[in-house]
Amino acid sequence: MNLPNDHIVKSYDEEQQRLVAEILRMGEMSVAQLEAALDVIERRDEKAALHLVANDEAIDQLEQQISHDVMRLALRGPMARDLREILAGLRIPADIERIGDYAANVAKRSIALVAVPPLPQIQGLRALGRLAAQQVRRAMDAYRDNDAEAALKLREDDARLDAQYTALFRELLTYMMEDPRNITPCTHLLFMAKNLERIGDHATNIAENVWFLVKGEQPLPPREKRDETSTVDHV
Amino acid sequence: MNLPNDHIVKSYDEEQQRLVAEILRMGEMSVAQLEAALDVIERRDEKAALHLVANDEAIDQLEQQISHDVMRLALRGPMARDLREILAGLRIPADIERIGDYAANVAKRSIALVAVPPLPQIQGLRALGRLAAQQVRRAMDAYRDNDAEAALKLREDDARLDAQYTALFRELLTYMMEDPRNITPCTHLLFMAKNLERIGDHATNIAENVWFLVKGEQPLPPREKRDETSTVDHV
């Protein structure tokens, strides 16, 4: 019964493998964008920042291409083909695409900071960004290795990123209160920090999709969302 | 040749119609959440805000359910079935789900504002929110009616929402500079305003998917992203 389908099944699997490789490539592109964005904040280089913003288009196009290819594959595959692989193949690129967007936003906002003296919180922002990049890299590794345990671990570690974000948020508010001239540049840093925190959330989404891919309907332990800044009413 | 497939084709179409109705229901839920969030800012009601945040779970679950059902439908449909309907059936609910998230975020941040005196910019924020709700409603109507022209029109009108957002953003920065005690509550309003501006972006995404659904590969006229606050370095 398997024999007549061998050719089709093999090419389905080959195509599936090609798509996984494309998704991993997309992940690398978004991490590279994020790291370049962190770099550009330090270098205060408007041209490089604009270049980064333009680069995001390539990630967006890859996501469109992958979602088309995943759907085409799904439609020609055996009816009983596990939905999980297809859904993960659509959702993970969507998360990577948004990580790329946030990285581009960080680069874009860094341009507004070129005109003002460097802020002391830049280092904290870059540390937050490095942690976010690390979370994305771990998520992509868990996807590559089908490693549900690694996915669970990095999902838990998102709490560290949230804590670091909350600390930076409070620090920025304090700095704004010290001198009104800090308000405008610090507002940009607040949004940049929020973008980095959201990148962490998307790494967590990828991790949850890896869990779903490997473990199926087996539920993940519940987890609280930990951006605590929405309930900060004092610093 | 069509006759033996009639039953299958009919039930495919029926299922497709049921899914469109579910997506429209999801859209109504997200608009209702947004309007309730705007209301709760005015009423300064912490309990109602928390209730709203919890409601968001229902939208998230509906999105999961719809994406599963769309995939199941895609897998049992004829091979040559147009991909556009399936892709739109996955992407539009994903946008609605995020609109619901942003509405819940607005409600959540309103809690932090209960403890402080009402800010004069609240009215501007609510006007921005009403415009965002209107954009979402127009996007869902365009989807319901397969109306590519209406979709194009509302996508253009996103510029109005962006302009209103930029004006509010500047107003909030000025208010923060006038008195350091305004900084913390205005930071919440900045994030709430950003959430509403993002809701407009998702209405635009839905409009673009409606265009794609109706017109296929026929390209949309290019459009600049207009959040200009990232290049505000003075007010």
Side-chain angles (χ1 to χ4, degrees), chain A residues 92 139 142-143 146-148 151 206-215:
Chain A
I92 292 175
Y143 175 60
N146 281 297
D147 188 340
I206 293 171
E208 290 178 353
N209 273 296
V210 171
W211 176 274
F212 164 73
L213 193 61
V214 177
K215 300 270 185 174

Side-chain angles (χ1 to χ4, degrees), chain A residues 16-206:
Chain A
Q16 174 64 28
Q17 277 166 30
R18 187 188 71 82
L19 285 170
V20 170
E22 283 292 278
I23 294 170
L24 291 170
R25 185 163 77 90
M26 207 183 147
E28 277 163 26
M29 285 164 76
S30 77
V31 173
Q33 279 280 97
L34 173 55
E35 287 174 335
L38 298 175
D39 199 43
V40 100
I41 303 170
E42 180 81 359
R43 280 163 49 209
R44 302 160 62 82
D45 181 341
E46 178 168 347
K47 241 182 169 170
L50 288 172
H51 184 69
L52 264 175
V53 172
N55 272 354
D56 185 46
E57 184 60 23
I59 299 179
D60 294 354
Q61 280 174 1
L62 196 50
E63 198 251 336
Q64 296 281 322
Q65 189 56 54
I66 289 171
S67 66
H68 272 87
D69 290 352
V70 168
M71 284 307 309
R72 273 187 209 284
L73 181 65
L75 291 177
R76 77 166 221 240
M79 295 308 225
R81 186 81 198 184
D82 199 340
L83 286 180
R84 298 208 306 265
E85 218 160 61
I86 300 163
L87 285 171
L90 292 167
R91 287 182 183 154
I92 292 175
D95 280 305
I96 300 171
E97 186 265 333
R98 290 183 56 203
I99 290 167
D101 281 351
Y102 285 119
N105 280 352
V106 168
K108 201 171 158 197
R109 282 202 187 265
S110 77
I111 297 170
L113 298 176
V114 171
V116 296
L119 293 156
Q121 292 82 8
I122 292 277
Q123 291 318 315
L125 186 81
R126 295 185 72 227
L128 186 69
R130 282 192 298 269
L131 192 52
Q134 195 183 19
Q135 288 287 96
V136 178
R137 204 175 289 111
R138 287 171 70 191
M140 296 314 300
D141 289 350
Y143 175 60
R144 183 194 58 210
D145 304 336
N146 281 297
D147 188 340
E149 300 311 319
L152 200 61
K153 185 74 182 61
L154 89 91
R155 175 173 172 268
E156 279 158 18
D157 289 347
D158 185 49
R160 280 170 49 206
L161 199 150
D162 287 342
Q164 213 165 308
Y165 165 69
T166 304
L168 181 60
F169 188 95
R170 286 169 192 263
E171 196 183 322
L172 286 167
L173 286 190
T174 307
Y175 199 65
M176 287 159 97
M177 287 174 196
E178 281 170 11
D179 185 342
R181 284 169 298 183
N182 295 334
I183 291 176
T184 302
C186 282
T187 299
H188 292 300
L189 287 189
L190 280 178
F191 277 98
M192 289 159 93
K194 183 71 191 168
N195 286 336
L196 297 172
E197 186 264 341
R198 294 291 293 140
I199 287 175
D201 288 344
H202 288 288
T204 299
N205 286 353
I206 293 171

Side-chain angles (χ1 to χ4, degrees), chain A residues 67 71 74-75 79 83 86-87 90-91 98 108-109 112 173 176-177 183-184 187-188 191 229-230 232, chain B residues 67 71 74-75 79 83 86-87 90-91 98 108-109 112 173 176-177 183-184 187-188 229-230 232:
Chain A
S67 66
M71 284 307 309
L75 291 177
M79 295 308 225
L83 286 180
I86 300 163
L87 285 171
L90 292 167
R91 287 182 183 154
R98 290 183 56 203
K108 201 171 158 197
R109 282 202 187 265
L173 286 190
M176 287 159 97
M177 287 174 196
I183 291 176
T184 302
T187 299
H188 292 300
F191 277 98
T229 62
S230 67
V232 172
Chain B
S67 66
M71 285 307 308
L75 291 178
M79 294 311 224
L83 286 180
I86 300 163
L87 285 172
L90 292 167
R91 286 182 184 154
R98 292 184 54 204
K108 201 171 156 197
R109 284 203 186 264
L173 286 190
M176 288 159 95
M177 287 172 195
I183 291 175
T184 302
T187 299
H188 292 300
T229 63
S230 67
V232 172

